[in-house]
């Protein structure tokens, strides 16, 4: 049996000195417990219970509305995460998000967003009890080390062009970099060694949707998502190096229409086409899905 429990307490102080400025600050703590029993053999470490120290997270934020057409929102979190029953603990986390909204007219909106997060691990691997003397050592020493950083930029535009037509478009780019200390078997050489798994990729996405109505009973929509990812995944040790090139793209397009038979009752259909292309020619697929829909809106 596995019995997992989590207790979380958070407090937020919110201060609005004026209608144009709002500040917030907070604190969050999380405690975890895991009880395990019934695994064989009976004295196995898989029957060991765990109880974590408290996570410590500080939350800061600001919300500004200097003008009717402009809105800025930013928040920052910094935390020390302790999860002793996972191999990725403890962890230091930093996250910053900033969003600016421009609304020149009631029926038009532009959003710009920036997000950055960083995770750092430098602790003992619980699977090798007592082996890691100093955090930051190698996996051979029973230590766990990893650094992950991700940055995302996005921009979106929404417009209610007429009473019967509205649409939105979105662009986003995400860069992700990670370095993890690993211990792997270089079977080709007949030895095992410690090294690093280095992963970096940049993904770019375009998305959009158009909703329209012609005559009272008919409604329709068309949407799309296009994504391209390029990067590398390198496994490197003292004697062995392997570099996997990441070069992938996929598209997702859907159109649909509904007809209101009478007030609240409607029928319709949707067609969706998905295409995935691995430019390394390792995995390619595509498919089409037709869906019949009917419902009653209250």
């Amino acid at each position: 049996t596995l019995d997992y429990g989590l207790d979380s307490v958070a407090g937020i102080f919110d201060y609005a000195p004026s209608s144009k400025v709002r500040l917030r600050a907070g604190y969050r703590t999380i405690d975890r417990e895991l009880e395990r029993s019934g695994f064989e053999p009976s004295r196995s470490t898989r029957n060991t219970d765990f109880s974590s120290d408290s996570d410590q997270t500080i939350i800061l934020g600001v919300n500004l509305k200097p003008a009717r057409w402009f809105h800025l929102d930013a928040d920052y979190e910094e935390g020390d995460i302790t999860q002793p029953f996972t191999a990725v603990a403890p962890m230091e986390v930093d996250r910053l998000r900033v969003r600016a909204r421009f609304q020149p007219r009631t029926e038009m909106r532009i959003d710009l967003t920036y997000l950055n997060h960083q995770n750092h691990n430098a602790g003992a691997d619980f699977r090798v009890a007592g082996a890691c003397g100093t955090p930051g050592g190698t996996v051979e020493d029973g230590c766990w080390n990893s650094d992950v950083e991700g940055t995302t930029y996005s921009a979106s535009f929404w417009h209610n062009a007429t009473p019967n037509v509205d649409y939105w478009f979105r662009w986003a780019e995400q860069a992700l970099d990670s370095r993890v200390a690993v211990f792997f078997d270089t079977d080709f050489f007949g030895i095992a060694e410690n090294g690093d798994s280095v992963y970096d990729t940049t993904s770019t996405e375009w998305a959009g949707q158009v909703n329209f109505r012609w005559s009272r009973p008919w409604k329709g929509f068309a949407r799309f998502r296009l994504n391209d990812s390029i990067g590398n995944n390198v496994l490197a040790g003292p004697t062995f190096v392997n570099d996997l090139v990441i070069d992938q793209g996929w598209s997702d397009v859907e159109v649909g229409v509904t007809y209101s038979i009478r007030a609240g009752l409607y029928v319709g259909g949707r067609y969706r086409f998905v295409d995935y292309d691995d430019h390394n020619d390792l995995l390619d697929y595509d498919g089409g899905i037709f869906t019949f829909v009917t419902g009653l809106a209250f």
Side-chain angles (χ1 to χ4, degrees):
T1 60
L2 294 172
D3 190 359
Y4 175 67
L6 182 148
D7 295 308
S8 177
V9 178
I12 299 292
F13 174 74
D14 192 274
Y15 175 57
S18 72
S19 60
K20 297 182 179 182
V21 179
R22 181 180 293 272
L23 306 174
R24 57 186 178 273
Y27 173 80
R28 180 173 63 239
T29 178
I30 299 176
D31 295 297
R32 302 175 181 82
E33 292 184 354
L34 177 65
E35 298 179 357
R36 306 191 292 188
S37 63
F39 294 93
E40 295 295 336
S42 60
R43 298 177 65 86
S44 170
T45 56
R46 291 181 296 173
N47 292 303
T48 304
D49 297 336
F50 295 97
S51 179
S52 75
D53 295 329
S54 298
D55 293 354
Q56 314 282 339
T57 302
I58 297 175
I59 304 167
L60 301 173
V62 60
N63 186 284
L64 304 176
K65 295 181 180 179
R68 180 198 61 79
W69 53 269
F70 179 64
H71 179 192
L72 179 68
D73 187 72
D75 58 79
Y76 173 74
E77 290 189 12
E78 180 177 356
D80 292 319
I81 312 301
T82 303
Q83 304 179 41
F85 46 85
T86 66
V88 292
M91 178 169 62
E92 298 174 2
V93 177
D94 289 275
R95 185 184 71 88
L96 173 65
R97 182 184 65 87
V98 181
R99 184 177 66 182
R101 170 169 292 180
F102 303 86
Q103 194 162 7
R105 298 201 298 266
T106 305
E107 67 277 7
M108 181 181 295
R109 186 172 65 242
I110 300 171
D111 288 306
L112 304 177
T113 303
Y114 168 81
L115 173 65
N116 177 268
H117 66 88
Q118 300 180 37
N119 299 345
H120 174 68
N121 299 106
D125 186 337
F126 79 93
R127 296 168 298 183
V128 190
C132 182
T134 303
T138 69
V139 289
E140 288 181 307
D141 300 325
C143 299
W144 175 273
N145 299 281
S146 72
D147 287 283
V148 180
E149 181 175 5
T151 303
T152 302
Y153 302 90
S154 68
S156 64
F157 174 75
W158 170 82
H159 185 207
N160 190 1
T162 71
N164 294 327
V165 177
D166 71 273
Y167 61 91
W168 61 265
F169 295 101
R170 179 176 182 269
W171 166 87
E173 181 176 280
Q174 181 187 60
L176 183 64
D177 298 286
S178 72
R179 177 182 293 271
V180 182
V182 294
F183 191 67
F184 56 93
D185 181 11
T186 56
D187 185 60
F188 181 79
F189 296 97
I191 60 174
E193 60 187 49
N194 63 292
D196 291 310
S197 176
V198 182
Y199 177 87
D200 68 272
T201 183
T202 300
S203 298
T204 303
E205 180 178 279
W206 294 87
Q209 180 167 329
V210 179
N211 304 299
F212 50 88
R213 178 197 300 268
W214 70 99
S215 74
R216 182 172 297 274
W218 290 96
K219 290 183 180 180
F221 76 92
R223 68 167 185 85
F224 73 92
R225 291 181 64 190
L226 308 174
N227 184 287
D228 283 299
S229 298
I230 299 176
N232 296 84
N233 191 357
V234 180
L235 185 64
T239 64
F240 177 80
V241 176
N242 182 52
D243 184 3
L244 174 64
V245 177
I246 301 170
D247 190 0
Q248 304 164 336
W250 56 267
S251 61
D252 184 350
V253 180
E254 184 177 18
V255 295
V257 63
T258 58
Y259 177 78
S260 298
I261 299 176
R262 53 186 175 183
L265 180 62
Y266 64 89
V267 295
R270 300 176 179 175
Y271 180 75
R272 180 182 178 188
F273 181 78
V274 180
D275 180 72
Y276 177 85
D277 182 19
D278 187 333
H279 300 294
N280 296 316
D281 296 325
L282 299 177
L283 177 65
D284 296 307
Y285 65 85
D286 60 71
I289 304 171
F290 176 77
T291 305
F292 173 76
V293 296
T294 183
L296 180 64
F298 295 93

